[in-house]
């Protein structure tokens, strides 16, 4: 997040560009330097706590069969790093099949959420019609009901239409998240009305105003919705656990739980499996994080 | 993220009503849309919410008063399920664990992310990098996080291994096999995973604190610490309330962390069971008591809604200085 937005509040709150003449300049400079050192020391400490566990897992995944993973003191750098565990985990379990299932579930969820949430959010924020408040109420109500509190009824519903043990059943309950609708609603509300007005005078209909005027200016929020939807689907555990029993349809999280149960003995394999599950997500997030943080601020600052 | 959505929702509404009174869609002039257009826009989202959220919710309500099994619809039994709950020791354990979870998890999740947000608020070399890094645990699945921490807290894992190598310990700490230590470990995992999420919510709010307030306080001779208490903290009050509501609700919904850390057993003797674990357990299988499961689900819903409403009421009852 480096200055992508014109954002008057954030950047200079404690580091004004020029020292104020009224204050003793030299003294403040020194104070600021120690503060900077302290700040970065803290940042590094928290970074160690945040990513340390991931790195330890990666290190375990890279240790070969011959290396003692219980060595005392613990060894962070593998003596002879190997990718063998990633190959082995694919041999003992159809991990790559699980990955493929997760990919399909996550992509379907992203597409359905981005399309459904931006359409609904646009209508709620930008179109005038009777029943708008009631529709908004439905989404807010849906947001208030925790998924865990309706999973039993959702399971019965999927069973009654014979969708249990399909990937469709994994996708359906999360196909348009109420939170995403409200995120898009807020983004569209915050837009300037003038361009919209101009487009209207030019005779653009609602669909044209949506696709040509409104949509292009909420890319940040769309990125947030897409990332949330992808993460939500990729990381979900409880619902797939309930709705899937055929190993052919296992998603990666369910497969990992199974892997843990089957190979309690080999920590390296479990580690390799978790790295396979988390690495794509981290890469995706690193690629999109600029848009993500921009999108988060886009919503907030205009509010 | 739901925090600032809800938060802003109210404000945006008032903006629409007041400042935007003259916006095109509020004018009485000719409208460029048919009456059906808005509903076509709403159709996918609204249908999904009604079919997959609202309908199951209503169904849960009905099921809770029946003795339905997975394979049979069951008959109306009034409050029997709730009476059964009162006699179910596992239910009381689940409530206890939920309450402990709220106590253990909410304060750290309200204060630590604010500290993180303040640390990464101001630009500086690498700040964007740190923001991303702090958010990483949020990205990872609770299953992955649970497995990583299982390995860290294992009797031969990194934490015990390091402490033993340092000579602090002789025998490993039984993080994963002791009733209380397992619960505490799950809390640590929840906090660790949640910090980045709430940090982002704070960051969004921090961006809205008027700069003039800081400058005025600075001119008055307030140091950084004093400015924090006089300017930043009051401005954060709404967000802090919302974050306590959100994290408290999440505490009652906890499942994966304990499920993974305990190896599917809910701890020694099942004593670390949570409401969600219980719901899944009683409803599972061909002969699952879905009626009882639904009744438990209603309790979960009531608890989360009650927590949300009471915290929000607490907040609106106070006068916000802003």
């Amino acid at each position: 997040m480096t200055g992508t937005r014109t954002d008057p509040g954030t950047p200079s709150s404690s580091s004004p560009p020029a020292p104020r003449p009224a204050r003793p300049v030299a003294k403040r400079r020194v104070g600021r330097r120690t503060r900077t050192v302290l700040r970065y020391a803290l940042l590094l400490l928290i970074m160690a706590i945040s990513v340390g566990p991931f790195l330890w897992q990666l290190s375990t995944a890279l240790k070969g069969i011959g290396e003692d993973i219980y060595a005392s003191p613990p060894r962070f750098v593998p003596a002879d790093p190997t990718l063998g565990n990633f190959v082995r985990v694919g041999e003992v379990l159809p991990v790559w099949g699980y990955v493929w299932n997760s990919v399909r579930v996550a992509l379907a969820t992203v597409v359905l959420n981005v399309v459904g949430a931006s359409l609904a959010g646009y209508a709620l924020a930008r179109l005038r019609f009777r029943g708008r408040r009631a529709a908004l109420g439905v989404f807010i109500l849906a947001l208030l009901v925790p998924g865990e509190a309706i999973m039993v009824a959702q399971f019965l519903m999927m069973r009654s239409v014979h969708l249990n043990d399909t990937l469709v059943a994994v996708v359906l309950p999360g196909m348009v998240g109420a939170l995403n609708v409200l995120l898009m609603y807020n983004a569209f509300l915050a837009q300037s009305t003038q361009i919209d007005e101009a487009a209207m005078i030019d005779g653009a209909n609602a669909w044209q105003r949506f696709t040509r005027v409104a949509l292009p200016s909420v890319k940040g929020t769309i990125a947030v919705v897409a990332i949330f939807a992808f993460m939500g689907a990729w990381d979900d555990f409880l619902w797939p656990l309930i709705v899937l029993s055929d190993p052919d349809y296992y998603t990666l999280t369910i497969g990992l739980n199974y892997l843990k149960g089957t190979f309690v003995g080999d920590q390296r394999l479990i580690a390799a499996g978790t790295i396979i599950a988390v690495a794509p997500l981290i890469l995706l997030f690193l690629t999109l994080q600029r848009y993500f943080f921009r999108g988060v601020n886009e919503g907030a600052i205009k509010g | 993220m739901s925090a600032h959505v809800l938060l802003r929702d109210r404000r945006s509404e008032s903006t629409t009503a007041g400042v935007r009174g003259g916006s095109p869609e509020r004018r009485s002039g000719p409208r460029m849309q048919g009456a059906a257009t808005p509903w076509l826009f709403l159709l996918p989202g609204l249908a999904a919410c009604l079919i997959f959220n609202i309908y199951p919710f209503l169904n849960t309500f009905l099921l809770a008063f029946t003795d339905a099994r997975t394979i049979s619809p069951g008959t109306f039994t009034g409050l029997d399920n709730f009476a059964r709950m009162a006699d179910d020791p596992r239910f009381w354990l689940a409530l206890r664990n939920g309450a402990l979870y709220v106590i253990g998890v909410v304060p750290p999740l309200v204060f630590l992310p604010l500290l993180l947000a303040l640390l990464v608020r101001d630009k500086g070399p690498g700040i964007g990098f740190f923001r991303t890094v702090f958010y990483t645990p949020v990205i990872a699945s609770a299953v992955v996080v649970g497995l990583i921490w299982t390995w860290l807290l294992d009797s031969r894992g990194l934490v015990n291994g390091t402490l033993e190598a340092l000579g602090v310990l002789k025998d490993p700490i039984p993080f994963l096999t002791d009733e209380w230590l397992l619960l505490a470990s799950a809390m640590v995992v929840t906090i660790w995973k949640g910090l980045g999420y709430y940090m982002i919510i704070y960051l969004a709010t921090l961006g809205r604190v008027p700069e003039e307030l800081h400058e005025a306080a600075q001119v008055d001779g307030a140091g950084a610490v004093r400015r924090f208490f006089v300017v930043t903290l009051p401005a954060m009050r709404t967000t802090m309330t919302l974050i306590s509501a959100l994290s408290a609700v999440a505490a009652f919904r906890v499942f994966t962390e304990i499920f993974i850390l305990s190896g599917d057993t809910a701890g020694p003797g099942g004593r670390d069971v949570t409401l969600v674990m219980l719901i899944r357990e009683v409803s599972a299988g061909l002969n699952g008591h879905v009626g009882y499961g639904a009744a438990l689900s209603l309790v979960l819903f009531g608890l989360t809604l009650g927590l949300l409403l009471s915290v929000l009421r607490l907040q609106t009852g106070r006068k916000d200085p802003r």
Side-chain angles (χ1 to χ4, degrees), chain A residues 125-126 186-193 302, chain B residues 12-27:
Chain A
R126 285 303 196 190
N186 269 299
F188 285 125
L189 261 191
Q191 278 182 352
S192 140
T193 54
K302 285 177 186 162
Chain B
S12 316
E13 287 286 24
S14 58
T15 325
T16 329
V19 183
R20 296 214 185 107
S23 71
E25 58 267 40
R26 298 210 170 231
R27 244 196 249 144

Side-chain angles (χ1 to χ4, degrees), chain A residues 116 118-132 135 200 204-211, chain B residues 31-46:
Chain A
S118 44
L119 281 172
Y122 182 77
L124 292 174
R126 285 303 196 190
L127 302 178
R128 188 188 167 209
F129 59 99
R130 195 180 285 273
R132 195 187 70 92
M200 208 179 229
N205 64 30
W207 176 254
Q208 288 163 331
R209 297 200 310 270
F210 170 68
T211 52
Chain B
R31 267 184 262 142
M32 303 292 180
Q33 68 189 50
T37 312
W39 295 103
L40 288 177
F41 273 78
L42 279 171
L43 185 67
L46 205 55

Side-chain angles (χ1 to χ4, degrees), chain B residues 118 120 147 160 195 201 240 280 303 308 313:
Chain B
L118 288 170
V120 297
L147 289 172
N160 276 314
L195 289 177
I201 300 182
M240 293 173 99
R280 173 175 172 271
L303 275 173
L308 263 182
R313 162 164 270 164

